[in-house]
Amino acid sequence: MQESEAKIRIEQLREVLRENSRRYYVDNAPTMSDYEFDTLMHELERLEAEFPQFDSPDSPTRRVGSDLDAPVGPNAERDARQGFVQRPHRYPMLSLGNTYSIAEIEEFAARADKALDGTPFSYSCELKFDGTAICLTYRNGRLVQALTRGDGIQGDDVTGNVRRIANIPQRLHGDYPAEFEIRGEILMPYEAFDALNREREAQEEAPFANPRNAASGSLKLIDPEEVAHRGLWCTLYHIPAESATFESHSQALDAAASWGLPVSEDRRICHGIDEIKAYIDHWDGARKFLPYATDGIVIKINELACQRALGYTAKSPRWAVAYKFKAEQACTELLSIDYQVGRTGAVTPVANLAPVQLSGTLVKRATLNNADQMALLDIRVGDWVFVEKGGEIIPKITGIDPAHRSAGALPPAFPERCPDCGTPLVKPEAEARWFCPNQDGCPMQIKGRLLHFVSRKAMDILAGEATVEQFYDAGLARTPADLYDISKYQLLSLEGWQERSAQRFLDSLEASKQVPFERVLFALGIRYVGETTAKGLARHFGDIDALAAATKEQLLEVEDVGEVIAGSVFDFLHKEEHLEMIARLRAQGLRFDGAGKGAALSDVLAGKTVVISGNFSISRERMKELIAAHGGKAGSSVSARTAYLLAGTKPGPEKLKQCAKLGIPVISEEEFRAMLPEDIATAGSGLPPEGVSAAERGRIPSPSGDKPADADTEKNGQNVEELTLF
Ligand code: IVH
């Protein structure tokens, strides 16, 4: 690889890995499978070794992923009202080197043999639990502190929440040291995970992608009461050698078990590589019957003196390694290939499959990523293909079964022209994908951008795929700014729209004017600007004028913004049509400032905890933001400290009962909005905009015309598309 190509690739890899690391650790919503992430990380490691001139101390290869979500610094105590206080780890919390290859485990063992030079030692083989890491401190036999891994140096203090996890003892018994630390994993067993997701879906909340995300999301809940109901579970696997005196790791864990701490019984002491391999083979199959998720095996040198001799790299110990299991696969027939055009113009081949069961769901479609990937797989329609789940969200094809190929099957031809608008496709340098360059005229791109704009994580406007399609076909919307010019009269002239659905749509448009700048910025759909980058940019620059005036160098000052993102933001904000659209959106009342300044709308709810239940005219997520924007705290369960229960349609009967018992007032959405200052109270209040006749206002709505937008905007996940590098 040429030096210039390597530079671009290294930068792309760093950005993608950083963004995904944040999605994994902070948002609990990964968009990449562990395997893809690890493969990209290994590619970056190789490139950095080959091209040391591009070394950077903050490369993801040198940093432990961070789950920190609250600000650090002198105001940490105050800010903890929103998040958690951060506290330093006494000993850094490192991660483990990992591999998917047995040959590399053999190399690990050979290296240990060589380095320990005849000193007898053994291995402790353990399950690799797939949850979120925790560090507990016990003083005089009492649990005094629980910290998340955070960035490895300091973690969030989640002691209150950890106290509500049933199998973590508050008090120890036996012969425990006066003070020690013990580390392990917080897990959500499958049963609790399924129950939680059923409940979330019933409440129209996005389900968690997997038990790991559910565990780490639950551990970061503000209300310990709620944590207690999540069915979390803990297993402990490491006492830092400095924290207690033992000869071996296994003795330390046996002792911990004797003090009443939850330690896995599935550990084995192995002597040599054959016993390690036998352990791996056993658990590769047996883990499917465990009640919780595991994603590999951890192999540790057992003797602590040997561990000390081997030491650490910047990121992980040299005395341990993780062997990771590949995701579950299914094999099925490839029926046909569609070519989808995303909002950026990227063309993604999507496979239509004979339906097959995979990790509990029926898979009918899978992504093939790009033309190179198709060529690499040498895939043909009619082949039997292997499917895996990427990030457990979008399945992907990872291989074919050559034994099943029928004679005469021809390789599919990747289209030369856009399947939607017919424009010849182009492949930019250093991109793995083909693009339709017709940004302003290609219907799929235009609709894709609109759909991204209205999606729940962006402007949260009540419109889904079918609605956007309808607006497009009727010539009502080409850019997001057009949406705000649509009148009720125009809506009612469209098929299937009724007074009520039209009003709900207009209300959601009105409510979107309160969406904070960082989400508006994300909604604009600037390439490579995902939610977290948008947040970073908004907080750094404060408003759109400062952002638009920024030079590329100034953009590079924002944490985690590299040249690719800086270039993309700069180009976007220097295009006449984008500036015009922003000016229109601004005139229509959208927020293009107020970021990074606390941005509270009022303090009418200061010091009050409002619990919400049921459905509202805006999503529950937005309702919680609205409460926070007025100084309140959105609680999730009713207690004596609750100020109000804000009840929408179909509130939870248990919550109502609890309110009746504790004498807590139950208020409707209208009553709630009436508490807010005038200008905000009308947003999304159900009032028709001016110019709507009394006759229209009086018409009886029919629910049949309503389309739940959230359901179909979420699955598009267009921001996901931006990060595919395969
Ligand atoms: S030992 C210094 N043992 O996997 C290393 N980690 O990818 C201490 N994990 O950070 C970690 N099961 O969160 C260890 N049996 C096990 C584990 C385990 C899961 C997690 C842990 C670690 C990560 C590394």
Side-chain angles (χ1 to χ4, degrees):
M1 188 184 272
Q2 300 263 308
E3 191 173 335
S4 57
E5 271 176 81
K7 183 167 188 275
I8 295 177
R9 181 69 181 164
I10 285 176
E11 201 181 292
Q12 275 184 330
L13 287 166
R14 284 180 184 160
E15 273 172 14
V16 167
L17 289 168
R18 277 191 198 114
E19 178 71 18
N20 269 280
S21 184
R22 253 175 298 156
R23 289 182 182 183
Y24 185 95
Y25 286 109
V26 182
D27 303 344
N28 293 315
T31 47
M32 216 183 233
S33 70
D34 283 5
Y35 183 67
E36 274 173 289
F37 185 89
D38 294 334
T39 308
L40 294 177
M41 184 68 93
H42 292 156
E43 183 186 345
L44 179 59
E45 279 163 4
R46 271 197 308 278
L47 283 174
E48 287 179 348
E50 199 180 327
F51 297 94
Q53 61 271 44
F54 303 129
D55 243 14
S56 154
D58 65 348
S59 169
T61 54
R62 308 235 205 134
R63 286 164 73 169
V64 175
S66 172
D67 67 38
L68 297 177
D69 67 357
V72 204
N75 297 326
E77 280 298 342
R78 184 207 64 201
D79 294 336
R81 267 179 278 136
Q82 267 89 38
F84 294 92
V85 180
Q86 276 149 36
R87 300 193 197 280
H89 287 295
R90 187 168 302 173
Y91 319 105
M93 245 178 126
L94 302 174
S95 72
L96 293 174
N98 68 59
T99 178
Y100 290 84
S101 120
I102 291 285
E104 287 188 21
I105 297 297
E106 286 170 355
E107 283 168 26
F108 166 79
R111 269 199 310 275
D113 275 336
K114 195 165 166 220
L116 296 170
D117 196 24
T119 316
F121 70 94
S122 57
Y123 298 96
S124 172
C125 291
E126 303 166 9
L127 292 169
K128 184 171 179 331
F129 302 96
D130 196 9
T132 184
I134 194 76
C135 177
L136 308 179
T137 303
Y138 282 87
R139 192 177 300 134
N140 300 324
R142 287 167 195 265
L143 175 68
V144 290
Q145 181 173 279
L147 300 182
T148 67
R149 183 216 305 268
D151 60 5
I153 305 296
Q154 52 182 357
D156 282 331
D157 186 332
V158 289
T159 314
N161 286 350
V162 161
R163 290 193 194 286
R164 309 310 306 266
I165 297 176
N167 76 331
I168 297 185
Q170 302 289 320
R171 284 204 180 201
L172 304 180
H173 52 75
D175 187 18
Y176 46 77
E179 180 165 348
F180 68 99
E181 272 192 25
I182 185 161
R183 295 172 176 181
E185 206 84 354
I186 303 291
L187 303 166
M188 184 174 286
Y190 291 123
E191 210 179 305
F193 171 71
D194 292 339
L196 175 63
N197 268 355
R198 275 198 303 273
E199 198 180 302
R200 286 174 75 86
E201 273 167 7
Q203 298 272 19
E204 286 188 18
E205 285 179 287
F208 284 107
N210 55 46
R212 195 208 69 82
N213 299 330
S216 83
S218 302
L219 192 61
K220 297 283 187 88
L221 286 169
I222 299 298
D223 185 355
E225 271 307 303
E226 184 75 14
V227 180
H229 294 125
R230 290 276 172 108
L232 293 173
W233 191 81
C234 177
T235 182
L236 299 167
Y237 46 61
H238 179 60
I239 298 185
E242 307 86 339
S243 188
T245 41
F246 290 98
E247 284 200 350
S248 70
H249 167 72
S250 57
Q251 275 176 8
L253 290 192
D254 290 344
S258 78
W259 307 327
L261 288 161
V263 172
S264 168
E265 289 181 355
D266 297 321
R267 298 173 283 134
R268 284 293 168 275
I269 296 297
C270 293
H271 302 88
I273 188 73
D274 291 339
E275 287 183 27
I276 297 177
K277 282 193 210 166
Y279 183 87
I280 291 177
D281 276 352
H282 169 74
W283 282 109
D284 197 2
R287 74 189 186 107
K288 290 174 190 133
F289 303 101
L290 291 170
Y292 44 77
T294 54
D295 61 344
I297 296 298
V298 180
I299 303 140
K300 300 171 183 170
I301 309 277
N302 191 33
E303 289 68 21
L304 300 187
C306 295
Q307 288 190 1
R308 273 191 289 275
L310 290 167
Y312 294 83
T313 70
K315 221 172 106 170
S316 50
R318 289 204 185 85
W319 45 260
V321 69
Y323 172 81
K324 289 179 83 170
F325 297 122
K326 279 200 186 163
E328 250 184 273
Q329 282 192 335
C331 194
T332 185
E333 192 183 354
L334 172 62
L335 302 176
S336 62
I337 300 175
D338 292 337
Y339 296 89
Q340 282 185 353
V341 189
R343 72 183 158 92
T344 61
V347 179
T348 308
V350 178
N352 294 309
L353 304 169
V356 65
Q357 279 291 338
L358 177 61
S359 319
T361 52
L362 194 65
V363 173
K364 295 183 200 149
R365 278 159 79 78
T367 175
L368 276 159
N369 282 325
N370 56 49
D372 291 352
Q373 176 78 0
M374 283 168 64
L376 208 67
L377 293 169
D378 184 26
I379 203 162
R380 319 258 163 109
V381 171
D383 275 348
W384 281 73
V385 296
F386 295 104
V387 207
E388 269 179 32
K389 284 196 185 173
E392 285 153 83
I393 305 165
I394 310 157
K396 62 192 282 186
I397 292 185
T398 54
I400 61 161
D401 182 355
H404 271 85
R405 170 154 301 167
S406 53
L410 292 174
F414 199 91
E416 287 175 8
R417 289 174 172 276
C418 173
D420 200 41
C421 70
T423 307
L425 299 180
V426 293
K427 192 172 179 215
E429 216 188 308
E431 268 287 0
R433 298 173 298 173
W434 286 86
F435 284 79
C436 166
N438 183 18
Q439 283 184 1
D440 301 325
C442 176
M444 284 302 277
Q445 291 186 57
I446 296 172
K447 285 185 269 186
R449 287 195 293 266
L450 288 170
L451 204 48
H452 170 73
F453 183 83
V454 297
S455 66
R456 182 145 42 146
K457 290 190 165 168
M459 302 304 287
D460 195 16
I461 292 167
L462 213 52
E465 221 168 312
T467 306
V468 164
E469 187 98 38
Q470 235 184 350
F471 291 169
Y472 180 87
D473 290 345
L476 291 178
R478 290 288 179 273
T479 79
D482 297 336
L483 295 171
Y484 293 86
D485 288 340
I486 297 177
S487 68
K488 187 183 259 188
Y489 177 77
Q490 285 170 319
L491 289 173
L492 292 175
S493 70
L494 298 175
E495 201 190 319
W497 285 77
Q498 310 283 343
E499 167 70 26
R500 197 176 80 138
S501 48
Q503 191 55 60
R504 285 181 62 204
F505 170 76
L506 293 171
D507 287 347
S508 73
L509 268 187
E510 201 53 36
S512 76
K513 294 177 183 172
Q514 301 306 327
V515 165
F517 173 43
E518 60 196 42
R519 273 175 48 199
V520 177
L521 190 58
F522 168 63
L524 294 179
I526 305 172
R527 194 134 166 226
Y528 304 119
V529 177
E531 277 172 279
T532 28
T533 307
K535 213 176 265 177
L537 289 167
R539 297 210 172 140
H540 187 91
F541 290 100
D543 62 44
I544 193 80
D545 298 320
L547 180 63
T551 61
K552 281 191 195 167
E553 289 67 37
Q554 286 166 333
L555 290 167
L556 285 169
E557 285 167 19
V558 181
E559 204 195 343
D560 289 344
V561 170
E563 273 172 39
V564 176
I565 299 182
S568 168
V569 173
F570 187 86
D571 292 347
F572 186 96
L573 292 172
H574 283 79
K575 270 203 170 156
E576 199 53 44
E577 65 266 29
H578 293 153
L579 295 176
E580 267 170 34
M581 177 181 72
I582 290 170
R584 270 180 71 199
L585 289 171
R586 209 175 195 176
Q588 282 153 338
L590 269 66
R591 296 180 58 186
F592 280 95
D593 57 17
K597 295 163 197 148
L601 296 176
S602 82
D603 59 359
V604 293
L605 297 174
K608 297 202 164 91
T609 301
V610 182
V611 173
I612 67 171
S613 185
N615 299 319
F616 304 93
S617 68
I618 54 179
S619 71
R620 293 164 55 81
E621 213 170 299
R622 288 267 301 119
M623 189 52 101
K624 288 182 191 165
E625 281 175 14
L626 195 59
I627 294 167
H630 290 278
K633 189 177 134 189
S636 35
S637 62
V638 175
S639 73
R641 293 187 306 274
T642 307
Y644 310 104
L645 176 75
L646 169 51
T649 51
K650 297 206 205 120
E654 277 309 312
K655 285 195 172 124
L656 291 174
K657 234 192 268 169
Q658 188 73 359
C659 284
K661 205 167 105 195
L662 298 170
I664 305 230
V666 178
I667 56 171
S668 69
E669 182 172 346
E670 286 67 34
E671 285 168 310
F672 171 71
R673 286 184 184 276
M675 292 177 179
L676 309 181
E678 191 64 19
D679 51 336
I680 293 126
T682 50
S685 64
L687 295 176
E690 270 176 42
V692 176
S693 73
E696 275 170 335
R697 251 177 274 156
R699 216 176 291 158
I700 307 292
S702 141
S704 61
D706 298 345
K707 188 168 186 319
D710 290 341
D712 61 3
T713 52
E714 277 292 295
K715 74 165 188 280
N716 288 287
Q718 291 94 337
N719 50 327
V720 171
E721 172 207 65
E722 300 300 334
L723 289 154
T724 313
L725 270 186
F726 271 98

